[in-house]
Amino acid sequence: MAALAIAVAVLAVAMVTGSSGVAAVVTANKPVIYIFGDSMSDVGNNNYLLLSLAKSDYPWYGVDYETGFPTGRFTNGRTIGDIMASKFGVPPPPPFMSLYMTDDEVLGGVNFASGGAGLLNETGIYFVQYLSFDNQISSFEEIKNAMIAKIGKKAAEEVVNGAIFQVGLGSNDYINNFLRPFMADGIVYTHEEFIGLLMDTMDRQLTRLYHLGARNVWFSGLAPLGCIPSQRVLSDDGGCLDDVNAYAVEFNAAAKNLLERLNAKLPGASMSLADCYSIVMELIEHPQKYGFETSHTSCCDVDTTVGGLCLPTAQLCDDRTAFVFWDAYHTSDAANQVIADRLYADMVSAGAVQGKGNATAAAAAPAATPRVVVGGGAAPSMNATSPPKP
């Protein structure tokens, strides 16, 4: 058996074939989707973290989602991951925090993304409660153990080996860490040293995922962070911050080199970098080409407000499809559609989407009552037989 796993951040999904011959393939069966990331990918995990300050569970978020209500997504509608999942004929993976480890849903895709998360555990600390990348990997380990309990170690290993793991993290390590004057990392480290810290951390984390069975990993490169509304307002003329964009370019180059080294070192690993920088920059520089009118400010005009989110008191733009950015940090549903279309087209043109294979279809089960977590830090661990404790 081979299963497909996709994960999404500004963000991207791709399918790759490992050097060992392990391939992630699209079939008529339901592909498995795994998502690791931050608020660009979060579909509600932070809603279950009672002390988290990184939430979007209020209007106007979700106003253009199919339900019309907030879901925990940090946009007016769908994330890029939602759109990519629909291209493969599957529903968006549920948030990890909504599952019991006895659910049949653990056999399918799961979204581990958490708003405020970064590669570094100290990133986002002032959001109080969130799932860092290390926490998300531990959550995936819980899912894998639950899979083993249900279908056995061999079958679970085959599903995981055939899956794609998309990691969309790194933006918060800059926006909510290195670039913040009150965070220690921006004081202690030069940017060259900070890049080294991030790459050492990624090396350890991706190697850990590999040893948990991940073979096909798609890491979403950083977008032009200096051009998002929250950063533009810091410039003298409202333009992009070139130094911040340069940081993103340097990060992406270092990440690409790291992934190539991991491929050479780890048998069967096929880890790739998605070039999110180019497509997002194209949207920003040439919005009219894609049917947008505005790419320099947010739809709900919150570029300078604390938090930069579209609170219920915000005044929405008249045409939400005309804006590339929904709030001061996150792209709109319409922009996410364009980004997903481009990424999917790139996958097809590269021959990365295969039409045949034997993907494992997960059994569908009704959603369990969500677990509620009290306290700071990561979510508590659950075993495969006991329901979560509130």
Side-chain angles (χ1 to χ4, degrees):
M1 293 181 294
L4 172 69
I6 305 170
V8 152
V10 152
L11 297 273
V13 175
M15 306 214 161
V16 288
T17 302
S19 57
S20 65
V22 177
V25 296
V26 180
T27 73
N29 295 322
K30 295 181 178 180
V32 174
I33 300 174
Y34 292 130
I35 299 174
F36 300 79
D38 51 30
S39 56
M40 286 293 295
S41 308
D42 193 346
V43 294
N45 278 309
N46 281 16
N47 284 357
Y48 303 108
L49 304 176
L50 295 186
L51 299 182
S52 177
L53 300 181
K55 292 183 179 180
S56 59
D57 57 341
Y58 40 77
W60 297 100
Y61 289 88
V63 65
D64 294 312
Y65 195 66
E66 58 187 16
T67 62
F69 297 102
T71 61
R73 290 165 172 82
F74 287 76
T75 185
N76 58 309
R78 303 159 298 167
T79 66
I80 297 169
D82 293 334
I83 298 167
M84 292 300 297
S86 70
K87 289 180 180 294
F88 293 113
V90 297
F96 168 76
M97 293 295 295
S98 71
L99 302 177
Y100 286 92
M101 294 300 96
T102 51
D103 290 344
D104 285 341
E105 285 176 305
V106 302
L107 300 177
V110 180
N111 185 314
F112 304 95
S114 175
L119 296 167
L120 304 177
N121 289 325
E122 64 263 30
T123 292
I125 192 169
Y126 49 80
F127 294 125
V128 183
Q129 199 174 18
Y130 55 94
L131 304 178
S132 68
F133 189 26
D134 280 328
N135 298 148
Q136 293 177 37
I137 296 172
S138 295
S139 298
F140 169 71
E141 188 170 12
E142 288 188 53
I143 289 292
K144 184 180 178 183
N145 288 336
M147 292 171 64
I148 291 172
K150 282 183 172 291
I151 62 176
K153 183 175 177 60
K154 183 175 185 295
E157 201 69 39
E158 288 176 341
V159 169
V160 172
N161 287 167
I164 289 181
F165 294 72
Q166 200 279 334
V167 181
L169 288 150
S171 296
N172 282 323
D173 293 293
Y174 283 93
I175 300 300
N176 289 307
N177 187 348
F178 186 73
L179 297 175
R180 294 288 188 180
F182 50 84
M183 293 294 288
D185 285 352
I187 300 171
V188 173
Y189 301 109
T190 65
H191 186 248
E192 182 178 354
E193 293 169 339
F194 188 63
I195 285 277
L197 173 64
L198 291 174
M199 292 305 109
D200 288 345
T201 304
M202 276 180 58
D203 189 340
R204 172 181 59 78
Q205 292 165 330
L206 294 179
T207 299
R208 181 185 174 197
L209 264 182
Y210 173 86
H211 289 303
L212 287 172
R215 293 297 178 268
N216 301 305
V217 177
W218 194 253
F219 189 93
S220 298
L222 297 186
L225 301 178
C227 292
I228 66 176
S230 69
Q231 296 302 296
R232 279 179 178 268
V233 297
L234 302 178
S235 69
D236 294 333
D237 59 359
C240 298
L241 297 179
D242 293 338
D243 57 337
V244 176
N245 282 347
Y247 290 162
V249 170
E250 291 176 43
F251 174 93
N252 291 340
K256 185 174 185 293
N257 289 336
L258 171 63
L259 297 175
E260 290 172 352
R261 293 198 303 271
L262 289 173
N263 287 338
K265 180 175 69 172
L266 302 173
S270 187
M271 303 187 183
S272 302
L273 183 79
D275 178 17
C276 297
Y277 189 99
S278 297
I279 178 56
V280 176
M281 182 61 90
E282 189 172 342
L283 273 174
I284 291 170
E285 293 182 335
H286 307 287
Q288 290 80 11
K289 178 180 177 181
Y290 297 93
F292 297 94
E293 297 175 5
T294 305
S295 61
H296 66 282
T297 189
S298 59
C299 168
C300 50
D301 193 23
V302 291
D303 303 356
T304 60
T305 62
V306 176
L309 298 182
C310 294
L311 299 175
T313 55
Q315 182 66 44
L316 298 189
C317 56
D318 292 334
D319 183 1
R320 295 185 288 276
T321 65
F323 281 71
V324 171
F325 288 97
W326 164 245
D327 61 23
Y329 298 95
H330 307 99
T331 43
S332 66
D333 175 276
N336 289 341
Q337 179 71 62
V338 173
I339 295 168
D341 287 346
R342 170 68 69 85
L343 295 171
Y344 187 77
D346 289 347
M347 292 164 55
V348 172
S349 65
V353 177
Q354 302 177 29
K356 295 183 179 181
N358 47 340
T360 301
T369 301
R371 52 177 167 171
V372 177
V373 180
V374 181
S381 175
M382 302 194 314
N383 59 46
T385 57
S386 301
K389 297 180 180 179

